[in-house]
Amino acid sequence: MAIASLKLWRELEQESGEELFVPSGFLALDGESAWGTRFISQSYQTLNGLGLPVELLEEAELRMRFPQFRARGGLLDPGAGVLLAARALGYYRSMLGQWGVNVLEGEKVVRLDLAGRPEVETESGRRIRCRKVVLTPGVWSNSLLRDGLVRVTPTRQQVIYLRPTRDSARFRPGSFPIFTVDKYYGIPIAGTDGVKVGYHRTPEEVDPDLVRRTVDPEAIQAFLSVVHRYVPELAESEVVHSKVCLYDMTENKNFVIGADPECNSVIYGYGFSGNGFKFAPLVGRLLTELVLEKSPSIRLDRLSPVR
Ligand SMILES: Cc1cc2nc3c(=O)[nH]c(=O)nc-3n(C[C@H](O)[C@H](O)[C@H](O)COP(=O)(O)OP(=O)(O)OC[C@H]3O[C@@H](n4cnc5c(N)ncnc54)[C@H](O)[C@@H]3O)c2cc1C
């Protein structure tokens, strides 16, 4: 799915005339956790098995090629890169009118009636009867799902952006890859003014409407100590932004993409478990194929809404 998605992002760049994908490479550093070491060996086997370029770097070679990092080794996937999310969404948004899509801004759907032709009701009392409904409510999915469907667990995720105090060119794609170490991750300066640092664990289940949207000082300290350890040059940086956003975790982290087995006029796309943006154009295509009752271009059995 990632290979197919990258191809679609490249096509979208052609279509929009915009740079959306900035190649940077991906470096999984060998840190302290057994999970991290396993992630590296399994990723190596998987990428190698798919015939994709991938390298295992020893400490000396890592230091020579990526002098910003300190680690005993790592895995390099040169095919990875940064997606300029806001620019991509901006382009999609700009095309909606041309595609004849009418957006009802600020209309919260409160009820879904699946009997016969589906009917959607909004908080303002608007009722829309339609032939097909595509439901992609992200972390807010549970309130709209009928019993028996896969549920999501909204989790609170914190990220910070670090502006290097000197020589920020050393932290841009081309010089600085995306990196992970023991479930922490970093994304080079692209489309923003800082290196993004986050944590891919999902410790905190939250109510998406009541979640605290400010980053905890302890989280900032944890990010800075990881940076100090593995990317010492970045440790002096200034925290220029911080934000909280949410993952919609499914139990086994597999997405939900599929029609409702009890009513194929309703199609679901949710539960992207913190990994969905890169697949956006492919998910769009799969949902379209389901709406048009075509056989999906990717097998969807393991992504069924009923598991
Ligand atoms: C910190 C963080 C880092 C991430 N990093 C990456 C990454 O590096 N790469 C990657 O691929 N993915 C990443 N992701 C995951 C990615 O952001 C998500 O998987 C993706 O954005 C999910 O898109 P979505 O359309 O399913 O959900 P959303 O973007 O949440 O859209 C759901 C929409 O539904 C609307 N909605 C909900 N309920 C209702 C209702 N009742 N009525 C009307 N509208 C409603 C909401 O307002 C919202 O606009 C990250 C996520 C987080 C939180």
Side-chain angles (χ1 to χ4, degrees), residues 107-110 136-141 143-144 157-159 185 187 196 245-248 269-270 272-279:
E107 280 276 9
K108 182 172 180 181
V109 172
V110 289
T136 60
V139 291
W140 293 272
S141 297
S143 63
L144 293 171
Q157 307 301 134
Q158 307 182 69
V159 294
Y185 63 87
I187 296 187
K196 176 179 176 177
C245 52
L246 308 174
Y247 287 176
D248 50 345
Y270 63 90
F272 294 99
S273 303
N275 279 305
F277 195 84
K278 65 180 77 60
F279 299 103

Side-chain angles (χ1 to χ4, degrees), residues 166-235:
R166 55 188 166 79
D167 206 355
S168 64
R170 286 170 66 73
F171 299 96
R172 294 184 187 283
S175 306
F176 192 78
I178 297 160
F179 72 91
T180 63
V181 59
D182 301 339
K183 290 227 167 188
Y184 288 89
Y185 63 87
I187 296 187
I189 304 174
T192 65
D193 54 359
V195 174
K196 176 179 176 177
V197 178
Y199 188 43
H200 200 45
R201 274 197 193 286
T202 55
E204 200 184 340
E205 184 176 338
V206 291
D207 174 326
D209 294 318
L210 303 175
V211 60
R212 198 173 64 256
R213 291 276 180 177
T214 49
V215 170
D216 308 336
E218 310 76 52
I220 296 179
Q221 283 321 310
F223 292 145
L224 291 176
S225 80
V226 166
V227 164
H228 197 271
R229 168 88 197 272
Y230 295 102
V231 201
E233 272 178 57
L234 206 50

Side-chain angles (χ1 to χ4, degrees), residues 16-234:
S16 65
E18 302 241 33
E19 180 190 39
L20 301 175
F21 176 77
V22 186
S24 67
F26 171 94
L27 192 56
L29 298 171
D30 203 358
E32 289 174 10
S33 77
W35 177 92
T37 310
R38 215 175 29 253
F39 176 73
I40 287 174
S41 61
Q42 289 174 348
S43 298
Y44 184 77
Q45 280 159 25
T46 304
L47 295 178
N48 217 20
L50 289 166
L52 292 170
V54 60
E55 296 174 58
L56 289 176
L57 306 179
E58 303 285 330
E59 182 164 1
E61 191 177 1
L62 175 72
R63 180 79 67 92
M64 188 185 65
R65 290 168 65 178
F66 302 103
Q68 305 95 326
F69 293 97
R70 295 284 173 280
R72 58 171 176 263
L75 167 142
L76 176 67
D77 162 14
V82 182
L83 282 167
L84 303 177
R87 191 182 287 176
L89 291 175
Y91 176 71
Y92 279 140
R93 191 65 205 261
S94 70
M95 296 306 290
L96 290 176
Q98 277 186 39
W99 294 331
V101 177
N102 177 17
V103 180
L104 306 178
E105 195 75 49
E107 280 276 9
K108 182 172 180 181
V109 172
V110 289
R111 192 179 64 82
L112 202 57
D113 178 349
L114 304 183
R117 281 175 60 148
E119 182 178 84
V120 168
E121 184 179 338
T122 70
E123 212 164 33
S124 68
R126 188 192 282 255
R127 287 172 180 232
I128 306 162
R129 191 164 281 287
C130 45
R131 282 190 295 138
K132 299 270 180 174
V133 172
V134 178
L135 218 61
T136 60
V139 291
W140 293 272
S141 297
N142 293 347
S143 63
L144 293 171
L145 300 175
R146 68 169 176 77
D147 291 347
L149 296 177
V150 171
R151 288 296 190 263
V152 298
T153 302
T155 63
R156 181 168 174 264
Q157 307 301 134
Q158 307 182 69
V159 294
I160 61 171
Y161 291 80
L162 295 173
R163 183 186 296 144
T165 44
R166 55 188 166 79
D167 206 355
S168 64
R170 286 170 66 73
F171 299 96
R172 294 184 187 283
S175 306
F176 192 78
I178 297 160
F179 72 91
T180 63
V181 59
D182 301 339
K183 290 227 167 188
Y184 288 89
Y185 63 87
I187 296 187
I189 304 174
T192 65
D193 54 359
V195 174
K196 176 179 176 177
V197 178
Y199 188 43
H200 200 45
R201 274 197 193 286
T202 55
E204 200 184 340
E205 184 176 338
V206 291
D207 174 326
D209 294 318
L210 303 175
V211 60
R212 198 173 64 256
R213 291 276 180 177
T214 49
V215 170
D216 308 336
E218 310 76 52
I220 296 179
Q221 283 321 310
F223 292 145
L224 291 176
S225 80
V226 166
V227 164
H228 197 271
R229 168 88 197 272
Y230 295 102
V231 201
E233 272 178 57
L234 206 50

